Amino acid sequence: MSTLGDQPITGYPTSRDTPISCQNRTKKFSDTQLRIQCTDFEGGTSGSPWLTDYDPKSHTGTVIGVLGGHEGGGDENDVSYAAYFDNDIAKLYQRAQDDDGN
């Protein structure tokens, strides 16, 4: 399993009124999945973005995946998964932007 570096994730679990965040090393789980160890990313956090090149001053970064993926986001309490956004996803996003007139 290769390591991709530290990735910040922020999510909104159904058990809390405020978001939670985690930053840890993301690992490649398979050709299409990422894996990260983060405590308390439970129900409600599905769809949370996984960022790379995050700039805390501008609050910007590049989304490389969203929480979900393998086993619906994971079957271990402190391990989460994401479908990896590769070049095909970037092309699809760009096509949607072009079709929208942006």
Side-chain angles (χ1 to χ4, degrees):
M1 212 180 313
S2 62
T3 300
L4 301 176
D6 284 353
Q7 310 303 321
I9 302 171
T10 298
Y12 294 84
T14 54
S15 64
R16 298 176 60 150
D17 293 330
T18 57
I20 60 171
S21 294
C22 172
Q23 184 163 336
N24 206 348
R25 293 241 177 237
T26 299
K27 297 178 181 176
K28 188 175 179 181
F29 179 69
S30 70
D31 287 342
T32 60
Q33 300 282 312
L34 302 174
R35 177 183 192 274
I36 194 168
Q37 188 162 355
C38 285
T39 303
D40 295 330
F41 271 74
E42 56 195 45
T45 59
S46 294
S48 299
W50 292 29
L51 302 175
T52 191
D53 302 324
Y54 179 71
D55 180 353
K57 290 181 183 176
S58 65
H59 301 287
T60 60
T62 301
V63 178
I64 61 168
V66 293
L67 191 72
H70 177 72
E71 298 292 331
D75 56 4
E76 298 176 49
N77 289 340
D78 295 333
V79 177
S80 295
Y81 297 85
Y84 178 65
F85 287 5
D86 59 10
N87 288 335
D88 290 335
I89 298 298
K91 289 176 193 174
L92 179 63
Y93 176 78
Q94 187 59 52
R95 189 170 134 201
Q97 290 296 306
D98 293 344
D99 289 348
D100 192 32
N102 292 322

Coordinates of all heavy atoms in Angstrom, one line a residue:
M1 N 0.8 -1.2 0.0 CA 0.0 0.0 0.0 C 0.9 1.2 0.0 O 1.7 1.4 0.9 CB -0.9 0.0 1.3 CG -2.2 0.6 1.1 SD -3.3 0.6 2.5 CE -3.2 -1.1 3.2
S2 N 0.8 2.1 -1.0 CA 1.7 3.3 -1.1 C 1.0 4.4 -0.3 O -0.2 4.5 -0.2 CB 1.9 3.7 -2.5 OG 0.7 4.0 -3.2
T3 N 1.9 5.3 0.2 CA 1.4 6.5 1.0 C 1.4 7.7 0.0 O 2.3 7.9 -0.7 CB 2.4 6.7 2.1 OG1 2.4 5.6 3.0 CG2 1.9 7.9 3.0
L4 N 0.3 8.5 0.1 CA 0.1 9.6 -0.7 C 0.4 10.9 0.1 O 0.4 12.0 -0.5 CB -1.3 9.7 -1.3 CG -1.7 8.5 -2.1 CD1 -3.1 8.6 -2.5 CD2 -0.8 8.4 -3.3
G5 N 0.6 10.9 1.3 CA 0.9 12.1 2.1 C -0.3 12.5 3.0 O -1.3 11.8 3.1
D6 N -0.1 13.5 3.8 CA -1.1 14.0 4.7 C -2.3 14.7 3.9 O -2.0 15.5 3.1 CB -0.6 15.0 5.7 CG 0.3 14.3 6.8 OD1 0.3 13.1 6.8 OD2 0.9 15.0 7.6
Q7 N -3.5 14.2 4.3 CA -4.7 14.8 3.7 C -5.6 15.3 4.8 O -5.9 14.5 5.7 CB -5.4 13.8 2.8 CG -4.6 13.1 1.8 CD -3.8 13.9 0.8 OE1 -4.3 14.9 0.4 NE2 -2.6 13.6 0.5
P8 N -6.1 16.5 4.7 CA -7.2 16.9 5.7 C -8.6 16.5 5.2 O -8.9 16.5 4.0 CB -7.0 18.4 5.7 CG -6.5 18.8 4.3 CD -5.6 17.6 3.9
I9 N -9.4 16.1 6.2 CA -10.8 15.7 5.9 C -11.6 16.4 7.0 O -11.3 16.4 8.1 CB -11.0 14.2 6.0 CG1 -10.1 13.4 5.1 CG2 -12.4 13.8 5.8 CD1 -10.1 11.9 5.3
T10 N -12.7 17.0 6.6 CA -13.7 17.6 7.5 C -15.1 17.0 7.2 O -15.4 17.0 6.0 CB -13.7 19.1 7.4 OG1 -12.4 19.7 7.7 CG2 -14.8 19.7 8.3
G11 N -15.8 16.6 8.2 CA -17.1 16.0 8.0 C -18.0 16.4 9.1 O -17.7 17.0 10.1
Y12 N -19.3 16.0 8.9 CA -20.4 16.4 9.8 C -21.1 15.1 10.2 O -22.1 14.7 9.6 CB -21.4 17.3 9.1 CG -20.8 18.7 8.8 CD1 -20.0 18.9 7.6 CD2 -20.9 19.7 9.6 CE1 -19.4 20.1 7.3 CE2 -20.4 21.0 9.4 CZ -19.6 21.2 8.2 OH -19.1 22.4 7.9
P13 N -20.6 14.5 11.3 CA -21.3 13.3 11.8 C -22.7 13.6 12.3 O -22.9 14.7 12.8 CB -20.4 12.7 12.9 CG -19.6 13.9 13.3 CD -19.5 14.8 12.1
T14 N -23.6 12.7 12.2 CA -25.0 12.9 12.6 C -25.1 13.0 14.2 O -26.0 13.6 14.7 CB -25.9 11.8 12.2 OG1 -25.4 10.5 12.6 CG2 -26.1 11.8 10.7
S15 N -24.1 12.5 14.9 CA -24.1 12.6 16.3 C -23.6 13.9 16.9 O -23.6 14.1 18.1 CB -23.2 11.5 16.9 OG -21.9 11.7 16.5
R16 N -23.2 14.9 16.1 CA -22.7 16.1 16.6 C -23.3 17.3 15.8 O -23.8 17.2 14.7 CB -21.2 16.2 16.4 CG -20.5 15.1 17.2 CD -19.0 15.1 16.9 NE -18.4 16.4 17.2 CZ -17.2 16.6 17.6 NH1 -16.4 15.5 17.7 NH2 -16.7 17.8 17.9
D17 N -23.3 18.5 16.4 CA -23.8 19.7 15.8 C -22.7 20.5 15.1 O -23.0 21.5 14.5 CB -24.5 20.6 16.8 CG -25.8 20.0 17.4 OD1 -26.4 19.2 16.6 OD2 -26.1 20.3 18.5
T18 N -21.5 20.1 15.3 CA -20.3 20.8 14.7 C -19.5 19.8 13.9 O -19.5 18.6 14.1 CB -19.5 21.4 15.8 OG1 -19.0 20.4 16.7 CG2 -20.2 22.5 16.6
P19 N -18.7 20.3 12.9 CA -17.9 19.4 12.1 C -16.7 18.9 12.9 O -16.3 19.5 13.9 CB -17.5 20.4 11.0 CG -17.5 21.7 11.5 CD -18.6 21.7 12.5
I20 N -16.2 17.8 12.4 CA -14.9 17.3 12.9 C -13.9 17.3 11.8 O -14.3 17.2 10.6 CB -15.1 15.9 13.5 CG1 -15.6 14.9 12.5 CG2 -16.0 15.9 14.7 CD1 -15.6 13.4 12.9
S21 N -12.7 17.3 12.1 CA -11.6 17.3 11.1 C -10.5 16.3 11.6 O -10.3 16.0 12.7 CB -11.0 18.7 11.0 OG -11.9 19.6 10.4
C22 N -9.8 15.8 10.6 CA -8.7 14.9 10.8 C -7.7 15.2 9.7 O -8.0 15.5 8.5 CB -9.2 13.5 10.7 SG -7.9 12.2 10.7
Q23 N -6.4 15.0 10.0 CA -5.4 15.1 9.0 C -4.4 13.9 9.3 O -3.9 13.8 10.4 CB -4.6 16.4 9.0 CG -3.6 16.5 7.9 CD -3.1 17.9 7.7 OE1 -3.8 18.9 8.0 NE2 -1.9 18.0 7.2
N24 N -4.2 13.1 8.3 CA -3.4 11.9 8.5 C -2.9 11.5 7.1 O -3.3 12.0 6.1 CB -4.2 10.8 9.2 CG -3.3 9.8 9.9 OD1 -2.1 9.8 9.8 ND2 -3.9 9.0 10.7
R25 N -2.0 10.5 7.2 CA -1.4 10.0 5.9 C -2.5 9.1 5.2 O -3.1 8.2 5.7 CB -0.2 9.1 6.2 CG 0.9 9.9 6.7 CD 2.1 9.8 5.8 NE 3.2 10.6 6.3 CZ 3.7 11.6 5.6 NH1 3.3 11.8 4.3 NH2 4.7 12.3 6.0
T26 N -2.7 9.5 3.9 CA -3.6 8.7 3.1 C -2.8 7.7 2.4 O -1.7 7.9 1.9 CB -4.2 9.7 2.0 OG1 -5.0 10.6 2.7 CG2 -5.1 8.9 1.1
K27 N -3.3 6.5 2.3 CA -2.7 5.4 1.6 C -3.5 4.9 0.5 O -4.8 4.9 0.5 CB -2.4 4.2 2.6 CG -1.4 4.6 3.7 CD -1.2 3.5 4.7 CE -0.3 4.0 5.8 NZ -0.1 3.0 6.8
K28 N -2.9 4.4 -0.6 CA -3.6 3.8 -1.7 C -4.0 2.5 -1.3 O -3.2 1.6 -0.9 CB -2.7 3.8 -2.9 CG -3.4 3.4 -4.2 CD -2.5 3.5 -5.4 CE -3.2 3.0 -6.6 NZ -2.3 3.1 -7.8
F29 N -5.3 2.2 -1.3 CA -5.9 0.9 -0.9 C -6.0 0.0 -2.1 O -5.8 -1.2 -2.0 CB -7.2 1.1 -0.2 CG -7.9 -0.2 0.2 CD1 -7.4 -0.9 1.3 CD2 -9.0 -0.6 -0.4 CE1 -8.0 -2.1 1.7 CE2 -9.7 -1.8 0.0 CZ -9.2 -2.5 1.0
S30 N -6.3 0.5 -3.2 CA -6.4 -0.2 -4.5 C -6.3 0.8 -5.6 O -6.0 2.0 -5.4 CB -7.8 -0.9 -4.6 OG -8.8 0.0 -4.8
D31 N -6.4 0.4 -6.8 CA -6.3 1.3 -8.0 C -7.4 2.4 -8.0 O -7.2 3.4 -8.6 CB -6.4 0.5 -9.3 CG -5.1 -0.3 -9.6 OD1 -4.1 0.0 -9.0 OD2 -5.2 -1.2 -10.4
T32 N -8.5 2.1 -7.3 CA -9.6 3.1 -7.3 C -10.0 3.6 -5.9 O -10.9 4.4 -5.8 CB -10.8 2.5 -7.9 OG1 -11.2 1.3 -7.2 CG2 -10.6 2.1 -9.4
Q33 N -9.3 3.2 -4.8 CA -9.7 3.5 -3.5 C -8.5 4.1 -2.7 O -7.4 3.6 -2.8 CB -10.2 2.3 -2.7 CG -11.4 1.6 -3.4 CD -12.6 2.4 -3.1 OE1 -12.9 2.7 -1.9 NE2 -13.4 2.6 -4.1
L34 N -8.8 5.0 -1.8 CA -7.8 5.5 -0.8 C -8.3 5.1 0.6 O -9.4 4.8 0.8 CB -7.8 7.1 -0.9 CG -7.5 7.7 -2.2 CD1 -7.7 9.2 -2.1 CD2 -6.0 7.4 -2.6
R35 N -7.3 5.1 1.5 CA -7.6 4.7 2.9 C -6.9 5.6 3.8 O -5.8 6.1 3.6 CB -7.0 3.3 3.1 CG -7.1 2.7 4.5 CD -6.4 1.3 4.5 NE -6.7 0.6 5.6 CZ -6.1 0.7 6.8 NH1 -5.1 1.5 6.9 NH2 -6.4 -0.1 7.8
I36 N -7.6 6.0 4.9 CA -7.0 6.9 6.0 C -7.5 6.4 7.3 O -8.6 6.0 7.5 CB -7.4 8.3 5.7 CG1 -6.5 9.3 6.5 CG2 -8.9 8.6 5.9 CD1 -6.6 10.8 6.1
Q37 N -6.6 6.6 8.3 CA -7.0 6.3 9.7 C -7.4 7.6 10.4 O -6.6 8.5 10.5 CB -5.9 5.6 10.5 CG -6.3 5.2 11.8 CD -5.4 4.1 12.4 OE1 -4.5 3.7 11.7 NE2 -5.7 3.7 13.6
C38 N -8.7 7.8 10.8 CA -9.2 9.0 11.5 C -10.2 8.5 12.5 O -11.1 7.7 12.1 CB -9.9 9.9 10.5 SG -8.7 10.9 9.5
T39 N -10.1 9.0 13.7 CA -11.0 8.7 14.7 C -12.4 9.4 14.6 O -12.4 10.6 14.2 CB -10.4 9.0 16.1 OG1 -9.2 8.3 16.2 CG2 -11.3 8.6 17.3
D40 N -13.5 8.7 14.9 CA -14.8 9.3 15.0 C -15.5 9.7 13.7 O -16.4 10.5 13.7 CB -14.8 10.5 16.0 CG -14.5 10.1 17.4 OD1 -14.8 8.9 17.7 OD2 -13.9 10.9 18.1
F41 N -14.9 9.3 12.5 CA -15.6 9.6 11.3 C -16.7 8.5 11.1 O -16.5 7.5 10.4 CB -14.6 9.7 10.1 CG -14.1 11.0 9.9 CD1 -13.2 11.5 10.8 CD2 -14.5 11.9 8.9 CE1 -12.7 12.8 10.7 CE2 -14.1 13.1 8.8 CZ -13.1 13.6 9.6
E42 N -17.9 8.8 11.6 CA -19.0 7.8 11.7 C -20.1 8.3 10.8 O -19.9 9.1 9.9 CB -19.4 7.8 13.2 CG -19.8 9.1 13.7 CD -19.9 9.2 15.2 OE1 -19.1 8.7 15.9 OE2 -20.9 9.8 15.6
G43 N -21.3 7.7 11.0 CA -22.4 8.0 10.2 C -22.7 9.5 10.0 O -22.6 10.3 10.9
G44 N -22.9 9.9 8.8 CA -23.1 11.3 8.4 C -21.9 11.9 7.8 O -22.0 13.0 7.1
T45 N -20.7 11.3 7.9 CA -19.5 11.9 7.3 C -19.3 11.5 5.9 O -18.4 12.0 5.2 CB -18.3 11.6 8.1 OG1 -18.1 10.2 8.2 CG2 -18.4 12.2 9.5
S46 N -20.2 10.6 5.4 CA -20.0 10.1 4.0 C -20.2 11.4 3.1 O -21.0 12.2 3.3 CB -21.1 9.1 3.6 OG -21.0 7.9 4.3
G47 N -19.3 11.4 2.1 CA -19.3 12.5 1.1 C -18.3 13.6 1.5 O -18.2 14.6 0.8
S48 N -17.7 13.5 2.7 CA -16.7 14.5 3.1 C -15.5 14.5 2.1 O -15.0 13.5 1.7 CB -16.1 14.1 4.5 OG -17.2 14.1 5.4
P49 N -15.1 15.7 1.7 CA -14.0 15.8 0.7 C -12.7 15.5 1.3 O -12.4 15.8 2.5 CB -14.1 17.2 0.3 CG -14.7 18.0 1.4 CD -15.6 17.0 2.1
W50 N -11.8 14.8 0.5 CA -10.4 14.6 0.9 C -9.6 15.5 0.0 O -9.7 15.5 -1.2 CB -10.0 13.1 0.5 CG -10.7 12.1 1.4 CD1 -11.9 12.2 2.0 CD2 -10.1 10.8 1.7 NE1 -12.1 11.0 2.7 CE2 -11.1 10.2 2.5 CE3 -9.0 10.2 1.4 CZ2 -10.9 8.9 3.0 CZ3 -8.8 8.9 1.9 CH2 -9.7 8.3 2.7
L51 N -8.8 16.3 0.6 CA -8.1 17.4 -0.1 C -6.6 17.1 -0.1 O -6.0 16.5 0.8 CB -8.3 18.7 0.6 CG -9.7 19.2 0.8 CD1 -9.8 20.5 1.6 CD2 -10.4 19.4 -0.6
T52 N -6.0 17.7 -1.2 CA -4.5 17.7 -1.3 C -4.1 19.2 -1.6 O -5.0 19.9 -2.0 CB -4.0 16.7 -2.3 OG1 -2.6 16.6 -2.2 CG2 -4.4 17.2 -3.7
D53 N -2.9 19.5 -1.3 CA -2.5 20.9 -1.5 C -3.3 21.9 -0.8 O -3.6 23.0 -1.3 CB -2.4 21.2 -3.0 CG -1.5 20.3 -3.8 OD1 -0.4 19.9 -3.2 OD2 -1.8 19.9 -4.9
Y54 N -3.8 21.6 0.4 CA -4.7 22.5 1.1 C -3.9 23.7 1.7 O -2.8 23.5 2.2 CB -5.3 21.7 2.3 CG -6.2 22.6 3.1 CD1 -7.5 23.0 2.6 CD2 -5.9 23.0 4.4 CE1 -8.3 23.8 3.4 CE2 -6.7 23.8 5.2 CZ -7.9 24.2 4.6 OH -8.7 25.1 5.4
D55 N -4.5 24.9 1.5 CA -3.9 26.1 2.0 C -4.8 26.6 3.1 O -5.9 27.1 2.8 CB -3.7 27.1 0.8 CG -3.1 28.4 1.3 OD1 -2.9 28.6 2.5 OD2 -2.9 29.3 0.4
P56 N -4.4 26.6 4.3 CA -5.2 27.0 5.4 C -5.5 28.5 5.4 O -6.6 29.0 5.9 CB -4.5 26.6 6.7 CG -3.1 26.4 6.3 CD -3.1 26.0 4.8
K57 N -4.7 29.3 4.7 CA -5.0 30.7 4.7 C -6.1 31.1 3.7 O -7.0 31.9 4.0 CB -3.7 31.5 4.2 CG -2.6 31.5 5.3 CD -1.4 32.2 4.8 CE -0.3 32.2 5.9 NZ 0.9 32.8 5.5
S58 N -6.1 30.4 2.6 CA -7.2 30.7 1.6 C -8.3 29.7 1.6 O -9.3 29.8 1.0 CB -6.6 30.6 0.2 OG -6.1 29.3 -0.2
H59 N -8.1 28.6 2.5 CA -9.1 27.5 2.6 C -9.4 26.9 1.3 O -10.6 26.6 0.9 CB -10.4 28.0 3.2 CG -10.2 28.6 4.6 ND1 -10.0 27.8 5.7 CD2 -10.2 29.9 5.0 CE1 -9.8 28.6 6.7 NE2 -10.0 29.9 6.4
T60 N -8.4 26.7 0.5 CA -8.5 26.0 -0.8 C -7.6 24.8 -0.9 O -6.6 24.7 -0.2 CB -8.2 27.0 -2.0 OG1 -6.8 27.4 -1.9 CG2 -9.1 28.2 -2.0
G61 N -8.0 23.9 -1.8 CA -7.2 22.7 -2.1 C -7.8 22.0 -3.2 O -8.8 22.5 -3.8
T62 N -7.3 20.8 -3.5 CA -7.8 20.0 -4.6 C -8.5 18.8 -4.1 O -7.8 18.1 -3.3 CB -6.6 19.6 -5.6 OG1 -6.0 20.8 -6.1 CG2 -7.1 18.7 -6.7
V63 N -9.7 18.6 -4.4 CA -10.4 17.4 -4.0 C -9.9 16.2 -4.7 O -9.9 16.1 -5.9 CB -12.0 17.5 -4.2 CG1 -12.7 16.3 -3.7 CG2 -12.5 18.7 -3.4
I64 N -9.4 15.1 -4.0 CA -8.9 13.9 -4.6 C -9.8 12.7 -4.3 O -9.6 11.6 -4.8 CB -7.5 13.6 -4.2 CG1 -7.4 13.4 -2.7 CG2 -6.5 14.7 -4.6 CD1 -6.1 12.8 -2.2
G65 N -10.9 12.9 -3.6 CA -11.8 11.8 -3.3 C -12.9 12.3 -2.3 O -12.8 13.4 -1.8
V66 N -13.9 11.5 -2.1 CA -14.9 11.8 -1.1 C -15.1 10.5 -0.3 O -15.1 9.4 -0.8 CB -16.2 12.3 -1.7 CG1 -16.1 13.6 -2.3 CG2 -16.8 11.3 -2.7
L67 N -15.3 10.7 1.0 CA -15.5 9.6 1.9 C -16.7 8.7 1.5 O -17.8 9.2 1.2 CB -15.8 10.1 3.4 CG -15.8 9.1 4.5 CD1 -14.4 8.7 4.7 CD2 -16.4 9.7 5.7
G68 N -16.5 7.5 1.5 CA -17.5 6.5 1.0 C -16.7 5.3 0.6 O -16.0 4.7 1.4
G69 N -16.7 5.0 -0.7 CA -15.9 3.9 -1.2 C -16.0 2.6 -0.6 O -17.2 2.1 -0.2
H70 N -15.0 1.9 -0.4 CA -14.9 0.5 0.1 C -15.8 0.2 1.3 O -15.7 1.0 2.3 CB -13.5 0.1 0.4 CG -13.3 -1.3 1.0 ND1 -13.4 -2.4 0.2 CD2 -13.0 -1.7 2.2 CE1 -13.2 -3.5 1.0 NE2 -12.9 -3.1 2.2
E71 N -16.7 -0.7 1.2 CA -17.5 -1.1 2.3 C -18.4 0.1 2.8 O -18.6 0.2 4.0 CB -16.7 -1.7 3.5 CG -16.0 -3.0 3.2 CD -16.9 -4.2 2.9 OE1 -18.0 -4.2 3.5 OE2 -16.5 -5.0 2.1
G72 N -18.8 1.0 1.9 CA -19.6 2.1 2.3 C -18.8 3.1 3.1 O -19.4 3.9 3.9
G73 N -17.5 3.2 3.0 CA -16.7 4.1 3.8 C -15.8 3.4 4.8 O -15.0 4.0 5.4
G74 N -16.1 2.1 5.0 CA -15.2 1.3 5.9 C -16.0 0.5 6.9 O -17.1 0.9 7.3
D75 N -15.4 -0.6 7.3 CA -16.1 -1.4 8.3 C -15.3 -1.4 9.6 O -15.6 -2.2 10.5 CB -16.3 -2.8 7.8 CG -15.1 -3.5 7.3 OD1 -14.0 -2.9 7.4 OD2 -15.2 -4.6 6.8
E76 N -14.3 -0.6 9.7 CA -13.5 -0.4 11.0 C -13.8 1.0 11.5 O -13.9 2.0 10.7 CB -12.0 -0.5 10.7 CG -11.6 -1.9 10.2 CD -10.1 -1.9 9.8 OE1 -9.3 -1.4 10.7 OE2 -9.8 -2.3 8.7
N77 N -14.0 1.2 12.8 CA -14.4 2.5 13.3 C -13.5 3.6 13.0 O -13.9 4.7 12.8 CB -14.5 2.4 14.9 CG -15.8 1.5 15.3 OD1 -16.7 1.4 14.5 ND2 -15.7 1.0 16.5
D78 N -12.2 3.4 13.0 CA -11.2 4.4 12.8 C -10.5 4.4 11.5 O -9.5 5.1 11.3 CB -10.2 4.4 13.9 CG -10.8 4.7 15.3 OD1 -11.8 5.4 15.4 OD2 -10.3 4.2 16.3
V79 N -11.0 3.7 10.5 CA -10.5 3.7 9.1 C -11.6 4.0 8.2 O -12.7 3.5 8.2 CB -9.9 2.3 8.8 CG1 -9.3 2.3 7.4 CG2 -8.8 1.9 9.8
S80 N -11.3 5.0 7.3 CA -12.2 5.4 6.3 C -11.6 5.2 4.9 O -10.4 5.2 4.7 CB -12.6 6.9 6.5 OG -13.3 7.0 7.7
Y81 N -12.5 5.2 3.9 CA -12.1 5.0 2.5 C -12.7 6.0 1.6 O -13.7 6.6 2.0 CB -12.5 3.6 2.0 CG -11.9 2.5 2.8 CD1 -12.4 2.0 4.0 CD2 -10.7 1.9 2.3 CE1 -11.8 1.0 4.7 CE2 -10.1 0.9 3.1 CZ -10.6 0.4 4.3 OH -10.0 -0.6 5.0
A82 N -12.1 6.2 0.5 CA -12.7 7.1 -0.5 C -12.4 6.6 -1.9 O -11.4 6.0 -2.2 CB -12.1 8.5 -0.4
A83 N -13.4 6.8 -2.8 CA -13.1 6.5 -4.2 C -12.1 7.6 -4.7 O -12.3 8.8 -4.4 CB -14.4 6.6 -5.0
Y84 N -11.0 7.2 -5.4 CA -10.0 8.1 -5.8 C -10.4 8.9 -7.0 O -10.8 8.3 -8.0 CB -8.7 7.3 -6.0 CG -7.5 8.1 -6.5 CD1 -7.0 9.1 -5.7 CD2 -7.0 7.9 -7.8 CE1 -5.9 9.9 -6.2 CE2 -5.9 8.7 -8.2 CZ -5.4 9.7 -7.4 OH -4.4 10.4 -7.9
F85 N -10.3 10.2 -7.0 CA -10.6 11.0 -8.2 C -9.3 11.1 -9.1 O -8.4 11.8 -8.8 CB -11.0 12.4 -7.7 CG -12.3 12.5 -7.1 CD1 -13.1 11.4 -6.9 CD2 -12.8 13.7 -6.8 CE1 -14.3 11.5 -6.3 CE2 -14.1 13.9 -6.2 CZ -14.8 12.7 -6.0
D86 N -9.3 10.3 -10.1 CA -8.2 10.3 -11.0 C -8.4 11.3 -12.2 O -9.3 12.1 -12.2 CB -7.9 8.9 -11.5 CG -9.1 8.3 -12.3 OD1 -10.1 9.0 -12.6 OD2 -9.1 7.1 -12.6
N87 N -7.5 11.1 -13.2 CA -7.6 12.0 -14.4 C -9.0 11.9 -15.1 O -9.5 12.9 -15.7 CB -6.5 11.8 -15.4 CG -5.2 12.3 -14.8 OD1 -5.1 13.2 -14.0 ND2 -4.1 11.7 -15.2
D88 N -9.6 10.7 -15.1 CA -10.9 10.5 -15.8 C -11.9 11.4 -15.1 O -12.8 12.0 -15.7 CB -11.3 9.1 -15.8 CG -10.4 8.2 -16.8 OD1 -9.9 8.8 -17.7 OD2 -10.3 7.0 -16.5
I89 N -11.9 11.4 -13.8 CA -12.8 12.2 -13.0 C -12.6 13.7 -13.3 O -13.5 14.5 -13.4 CB -12.7 11.9 -11.5 CG1 -13.1 10.5 -11.2 CG2 -13.6 12.9 -10.7 CD1 -14.5 10.1 -11.6
A90 N -11.3 14.1 -13.4 CA -11.0 15.5 -13.7 C -11.5 15.9 -15.0 O -12.1 17.0 -15.2 CB -9.5 15.7 -13.6
K91 N -11.4 15.0 -16.0 CA -12.0 15.3 -17.4 C -13.5 15.4 -17.3 O -14.1 16.3 -18.0 CB -11.5 14.2 -18.3 CG -10.1 14.2 -18.7 CD -9.7 13.0 -19.6 CE -8.2 12.9 -19.7 NZ -7.9 11.6 -20.4
L92 N -14.1 14.5 -16.6 CA -15.6 14.6 -16.4 C -16.0 15.9 -15.8 O -17.0 16.5 -16.3 CB -16.1 13.4 -15.6 CG -17.6 13.3 -15.4 CD1 -18.3 13.1 -16.7 CD2 -17.9 12.2 -14.4
Y93 N -15.3 16.3 -14.8 CA -15.6 17.6 -14.1 C -15.5 18.7 -15.1 O -16.3 19.6 -15.2 CB -14.7 17.8 -12.9 CG -14.9 19.1 -12.2 CD1 -16.0 19.3 -11.4 CD2 -14.0 20.1 -12.4 CE1 -16.2 20.5 -10.8 CE2 -14.2 21.4 -11.8 CZ -15.3 21.6 -11.0 OH -15.5 22.8 -10.4
Q94 N -14.4 18.7 -15.8 CA -14.1 19.8 -16.8 C -15.2 19.8 -17.9 O -15.7 20.9 -18.3 CB -12.8 19.7 -17.4 CG -12.4 20.8 -18.3 CD -12.4 22.1 -17.5 OE1 -11.7 22.3 -16.5 NE2 -13.1 23.1 -18.0
R95 N -15.6 18.6 -18.3 CA -16.7 18.6 -19.3 C -18.0 19.1 -18.8 O -18.7 19.9 -19.5 CB -16.9 17.1 -19.7 CG -17.8 17.0 -20.9 CD -17.8 15.6 -21.4 NE -19.1 15.1 -21.6 CZ -19.5 13.9 -21.7 NH1 -18.7 12.9 -21.5 NH2 -20.8 13.6 -21.9
A96 N -18.3 18.8 -17.5 CA -19.5 19.4 -16.9 C -19.4 20.9 -16.8 O -20.4 21.6 -17.0 CB -19.7 18.7 -15.5
Q97 N -18.3 21.4 -16.4 CA -18.1 22.8 -16.4 C -18.2 23.5 -17.7 O -18.9 24.5 -17.9 CB -16.7 23.2 -15.8 CG -16.5 22.8 -14.3 CD -17.4 23.7 -13.5 OE1 -17.4 24.9 -13.5 NE2 -18.2 23.0 -12.6
D98 N -17.7 22.9 -18.8 CA -17.8 23.4 -20.1 C -19.2 23.4 -20.6 O -19.7 24.4 -21.2 CB -16.9 22.6 -21.1 CG -15.4 22.7 -20.8 OD1 -15.0 23.7 -20.1 OD2 -14.6 21.9 -21.3
D99 N -20.0 22.3 -20.3 CA -21.4 22.2 -20.7 C -22.2 23.2 -20.0 O -23.3 23.6 -20.5 CB -21.9 20.8 -20.5 CG -21.3 19.8 -21.4 OD1 -20.7 20.2 -22.4 OD2 -21.5 18.6 -21.2
D100 N -21.8 23.6 -18.8 CA -22.6 24.6 -18.0 C -22.3 26.0 -18.4 O -22.9 26.9 -17.8 CB -22.2 24.3 -16.5 CG -23.2 25.0 -15.6 OD1 -24.4 25.2 -15.9 OD2 -22.7 25.5 -14.5
G101 N -21.3 26.2 -19.3 CA -21.0 27.6 -19.7 C -19.9 28.2 -18.8 O -19.7 29.4 -19.0
N102 N -19.3 27.5 -17.9 CA -18.3 28.1 -17.0 C -16.9 27.8 -17.6 O -16.6 26.8 -18.1 CB -18.4 27.5 -15.6 CG -19.6 27.9 -14.9 OD1 -20.0 29.1 -15.1 ND2 -20.3 27.1 -14.2

